[in-house]
Amino acid sequence: MTADEFIDGKAPQLAFYGKAFLSNQLDFNEIQMYLWDTLEEWQMYNHQGEAQTDMERVFWHLLHAFDKWPCWAIRGNQFLRKQVDDCCDYLSLGGQIPQGCIGIRP
């Protein structure tokens, strides 16, 4: 599986989980499990190098945000909340890349 195929398959799932979390329809622990499952699967393919597309950069940026910030910070900090929401929109709808996305491969 190529890196693009991997991201194309995972990005809509992450966007769905992120939106569900922001609307209090998904527990943060579910996102954490998705995060670790995704990283474990990514490791199996041994893709190296820099993120190649804007979609991939936004994907890794959002995944990292869910790893770095606790649920109360994402829900309570308006800047983080908007950034997560914008990244979810980009992953599911496309458009212009959200500001400040600097996602890199793990």
Side-chain angles (χ1 to χ4, degrees):
M1 176 178 288
T2 68
D4 286 343
E5 291 169 336
F6 182 86
I7 298 300
D8 288 346
K10 294 290 184 178
Q13 294 172 335
L14 181 58
F16 178 80
Y17 280 4
K19 288 287 193 176
F21 167 73
L22 291 177
S23 63
N24 296 317
Q25 297 174 343
L26 184 71
D27 188 67
F28 193 68
N29 289 334
E30 293 293 322
I31 292 178
Q32 295 292 296
M33 286 190 296
Y34 172 82
L35 181 149
W36 291 111
D37 288 345
T38 299
L39 290 175
E40 185 177 343
E41 188 177 344
W42 174 260
Q43 191 174 34
M44 290 182 348
Y45 296 111
N46 197 29
H47 295 297
Q48 298 178 5
E50 298 294 319
Q52 300 299 308
T53 65
D54 287 344
M55 180 72 71
E56 185 178 355
R57 281 187 271 288
V58 173
F59 177 83
W60 292 123
H61 181 87
L62 182 57
L63 205 65
H64 178 72
F66 281 123
D67 182 47
K68 180 178 180 175
W69 301 105
C71 64
W72 58 266
I74 295 171
R75 282 199 174 120
N77 181 299
Q78 292 304 311
F79 175 80
L80 289 175
R81 185 179 185 90
K82 178 156 178 30
Q83 187 174 63
V84 165
D85 192 48
D86 289 348
C87 287
C88 290
D89 284 344
Y90 181 82
L91 292 177
S92 60
L93 305 171
Q96 187 172 347
I97 188 171
Q99 274 190 311
C101 283
I102 53 169
I104 55 173
R105 290 180 177 176

